[in-house]
Amino acid sequence: DTGSAAAVPINEVDIAYVTPVTVGTPPQTLMLDLDTGSSDLWVFSSLTPSSQVRGQEIYSPAKSSTSKLLSGHTWSIRYGDGSGSRGTVYTDNFTIGGLEVESQAVQTAQEVSSSFTQEQSLDGLVGLGFSTLNTVRPSSQLTFFDNARPKLDEEVFTADLKYHATGSYDFGFIDRAKYTGNITYTPVQQSPGYWTHSLSGYAVGSGAFQSTQIQGISDTGTTLLYLPTAIVTAYYRQVQGAQNSQYYGGYVFPCSSTLPTFTFGIEGARFTIPASYINYTRISPTSSTCYGGLQSSSGLGINIFGDVALKAAFVVFSGTNPPRIGFGTK
Ligand SMILES: O=C(NC1CCCCC1)N[C@H]1[C@H](O)[C@@H](N2CCCCC2)[C@@H]2OC[C@H]1O2
């Protein structure tokens, strides 16, 4: 089997992407954030206090003839940006792009943090990290990908995220029409549960490529690209008026700046992020100061190849043994 679904940016700066999914019988449609940086599938639900729901679609297990309470099981998750949620667990039929998993663990939120309440076009998350990261207790649950794996034509899912446009997630096949040339693969270290791999180096603008191994995680649920301070300072040194602002918590610069491109390596292949992707957003709607899409990872303890980087490539997450990740030019 295979599946294919849209990845729709939720606002004008691609802060996150949501994908239509259906839960239950008859199908309830929700827009979820497919997140390779976590492994919980959770949804706004009929159990979420109405004070915490602001426009989101909700899953009501009582309205589904195929829902089953996973008795005695709870979950609680905290994300790197400080957001979080917690609740109880049902199993139910779950489909993405025509690919169905019966009895998928669907984690129903009984509490969500304010940043989720404020994002009214995001109804929850589909964790696509390794199932070892799942927070359901007393027994952890499998991700949609792990449940779908036995029925997939190929043990892969792919991400084709786009700048200010709708892209796609595919399951079970690699769509030759979505990239040119070949996919370059590199090994994934699946502990502790992220899609952890290395970049082979980087270049700032037309500068020389610096060959250096940079280990990090490819995370579709993180908006920006977070790299070591030395690389980030070398980048913004090329930008007139750029500064690392304590106040704004990162590198800002005049919105009128001409930014260099940023190139990263995967083994011998090279992928160039256009300057426009790094001119991320105005710090406020009327400001002429802009916040960068490339920021320092110091303090995070890990480098994060988020959407700013991933949308510059066609990315293959391969669940083969051993797992690997592939990047193609698009
Ligand atoms: O916390 C991270 N990443 C960290 C960012 C800072 C540096 C460390 C990693 N990702 C989350 C993201 O922010 C959330 N957010 C919800 C509201 C719309 C925008 C997305 C969404 O929920 C979980 C995941 O995706």
Side-chain angles (χ1 to χ4, degrees), residues 15-16 33 35 79-81 116 119 122 125 221-222 226 300 304:
I15 192 172
D33 181 357
D35 177 17
Y79 298 101
D81 67 350
F116 286 114
E119 281 303 338
L122 186 148
L125 264 75
T222 288
Y226 297 89
L300 300 182
I304 305 182

Side-chain angles (χ1 to χ4, degrees), residues 24-197:
T25 311
Q28 301 176 39
T29 299
L30 275 70
M31 299 298 283
L32 303 185
D33 181 357
L34 271 56
D35 177 17
T36 59
S38 66
S39 305
D40 283 38
L41 193 169
W42 71 264
V43 294
F44 276 75
S45 73
S46 50
L47 294 85
T48 312
S50 56
S51 63
Q52 296 177 17
V53 184
R54 194 160 309 146
Q56 290 83 4
E57 295 296 319
I58 64 167
Y59 165 58
S60 302
K63 294 180 179 170
S64 170
S65 61
T66 42
S67 68
K68 292 193 186 72
L69 175 68
L70 196 60
S71 173
H73 286 70
T74 59
W75 59 281
S76 175
I77 192 163
R78 182 67 59 192
Y79 298 101
D81 67 350
S83 65
S85 50
R86 64 170 185 78
T88 47
V89 190
Y90 287 77
T91 58
D92 209 338
N93 298 350
F94 189 89
T95 71
I96 301 181
L99 175 66
E100 174 171 70
V101 165
E102 290 91 42
S103 72
Q104 169 67 45
V106 179
Q107 299 170 220
T108 43
Q110 291 181 307
E111 182 174 31
V112 301
S113 64
S114 59
S115 72
F116 286 114
T117 298
Q118 283 153 24
E119 281 303 338
Q120 55 190 2
S121 41
L122 186 148
D123 306 329
L125 264 75
V126 179
L128 292 174
F130 293 89
S131 293
T132 45
L133 287 178
N134 180 263
T135 73
V136 175
R137 296 297 177 267
S139 41
S140 87
Q141 301 300 304
L142 295 180
T143 65
F144 171 78
F145 180 55
D146 275 351
N147 282 322
R149 202 194 274 265
K151 53 171 43 173
L152 292 179
D153 294 3
E154 210 179 335
E155 281 194 278
V156 297
F157 65 91
T158 67
D160 180 15
L161 300 180
K162 291 180 188 249
Y163 172 73
H164 296 183
T166 295
S168 59
Y169 284 101
D170 295 336
F171 291 86
F173 73 108
I174 297 174
D175 187 340
R176 273 261 30 157
K178 292 183 176 173
Y179 65 95
T180 60
N182 297 317
I183 303 287
T184 300
Y185 288 96
T186 196
V188 158
Q189 169 207 329
Q190 69 185 78
S191 68
Y194 302 109
W195 289 89
T196 305
H197 63 96

Side-chain angles (χ1 to χ4, degrees), residues 286-302:
T286 57
S287 172
S288 63
T289 300
C290 279
Y291 191 80
L294 170 61
Q295 295 295 341
S296 171
S297 62
S298 66
L300 300 182
I302 189 170

